[in-house]
Amino acid sequence: MDEKTLNSLILPRHIGFIMDGNGRWATARGLERAQGHKAGAQVFRSISTYCAKLGIESATFYAFSTENWKRPENEVNALMKLFKEFLEEAQAREEENEEIGFHIKFAGDTANMPEELVSLFDICEKRSADKTGTTVNVAVNYGGRAEITNAVRSIARKALNGEIAVDDIDENTVSSFLYTAGQPDPDLIIRTGGESRISNFLIWQSAYSEFYFTDVLWPDFTTDDLDRAIIDFCSRNRRFGAV
Ligand code: IPE
Ligand code: IPE
Ligand code: MG
């Protein structure tokens, strides 16, 4: 996006990406589905870098849902391997990522995830914790319902311990127990791959999000496609229930 256009827009503070279509992209090329995920990982890299360049505050990337465990074992294993490689590479590129200013955060349930992966995420989070550029939430083993259920459990525990009064529990309390605590709710949620559904992504946080669905498959998604989504978002009239 050119400087002039950029300066004329009020950008979304938080963008959510449902990175769908990797499998179909690969199949259409006679490749293994895992190859599609590999290509998708490259696009994740370029789009997150572009978000930082635009000055987007938060970007959440849906990489693996709590429901994706239903996939064939070899695909799940390939994805876990890819996440691991990706995190190792992020460490190797630490200087570059520091320069971009990424603050990397894991969003998801660490239970039943490979331990090695959990600790790699932990290292990435800690090393980038003081960065003030774009917060990149990587949603792995993420499900909106599981996230809310976990929040309810934590709040109930606090209530039982007498740390919080039941009548003091409000929407802010719930938000503060979600993975995105402290970040603005997503203004814009982009889903590639042609499906018009949310698939358990940020279901609490997206109460007033604007949705942008595109047929472009995630491995084909470019910074120009993101520009188009942002410009479309900027033309919308958000009323939040008012007139
Ligand atoms: C999205 O691409 C990535 C994950 C869900 C891990 P898909 O793998 O769902 O791709 P399609 O929808 O089958 O094309
Ligand atoms: C949503 O894609 C999850 C991710 C992009 C990680 P899916 O491909 O799993 O969604 P459904 O099954 O088509 O709803
Ligand atoms: Mg899919």
Side-chain angles (χ1 to χ4, degrees):
M1 168 166 350
D2 63 67
E3 202 77 12
K4 193 166 157 252
T5 314
L6 184 59
N7 292 335
S8 71
L9 299 173
I10 298 173
L11 295 176
R13 291 176 67 194
H14 184 172
I15 307 178
F17 294 90
I18 303 178
M19 308 185 281
D20 198 19
N22 295 348
R24 278 164 285 164
W25 181 90
T27 307
R29 282 165 180 71
L31 302 169
E32 295 282 322
R33 290 177 59 86
Q35 291 302 113
H37 297 312
K38 213 169 180 169
Q42 296 300 331
V43 174
F44 161 77
R45 197 168 286 123
S46 70
I47 295 295
S48 53
T49 303
Y50 188 61
C51 285
K53 194 176 149 212
L54 291 177
I56 305 293
E57 218 171 297
S58 292
T60 303
F61 293 87
Y62 203 8
F64 192 88
S65 76
T66 46
E67 288 72 37
N68 287 148
W69 296 106
K70 293 178 198 162
R71 295 188 177 205
E73 202 182 325
N74 66 342
E75 183 172 346
V76 171
N77 289 342
L79 279 161
M80 293 301 145
K81 191 166 160 256
L82 194 64
F83 297 142
K84 183 174 163 273
E85 282 168 8
F86 182 83
L87 289 166
E88 284 168 348
E89 206 192 304
Q91 284 186 329
R93 290 185 185 211
E94 204 181 341
E95 257 176 55
E96 199 183 313
N97 286 339
E98 271 187 21
E99 213 166 288
I100 301 170
F102 285 138
H103 175 190
I104 298 167
K105 285 203 74 176
F106 171 78
D109 195 343
T110 50
N112 68 44
M113 255 178 59
E115 243 172 69
E116 202 184 5
L117 204 55
V118 176
S119 72
L120 277 169
F121 264 116
D122 202 42
I123 296 169
C124 270
E125 271 196 24
K126 287 203 174 102
R127 290 202 177 152
S128 66
D130 59 335
K131 298 296 169 299
T132 53
T134 302
T135 298
V136 174
N137 304 298
V138 187
V140 174
N141 195 19
Y142 174 88
R145 287 188 172 180
E147 178 182 38
I148 296 168
T149 306
N150 284 334
V152 169
R153 280 206 195 107
S154 305
I155 297 166
R157 237 175 258 125
K158 274 192 180 286
L160 279 175
N161 294 340
E163 290 168 55
I164 187 167
V166 169
D167 289 333
D168 288 342
I169 299 169
D170 59 14
E171 293 182 6
N172 291 327
T173 317
V174 177
S175 294
S176 74
F177 280 91
L178 304 180
Y179 302 119
T180 48
Q183 299 178 47
D185 282 336
D187 302 293
L188 170 62
I189 293 185
I190 298 171
R191 181 172 186 144
T192 59
E195 312 291 355
S196 310
R197 55 176 170 258
I198 189 135
S199 301
N200 207 6
F201 184 55
L202 302 178
I203 53 176
W204 171 278
Q205 298 91 329
S206 65
Y208 270 101
S209 300
E210 295 295 330
F211 287 88
Y212 183 89
F213 297 107
T214 169
D215 289 337
V216 174
L217 304 172
W218 179 254
D220 290 327
F221 192 76
T222 63
T223 55
D224 283 345
D225 290 316
L226 179 53
D227 282 350
R228 271 189 278 280
I230 291 175
I231 289 164
D232 186 87
F233 163 83
C234 290
S235 73
R236 302 197 191 172
N237 181 7
R238 301 178 82 193
R239 287 183 286 275
F240 299 99
V243 286

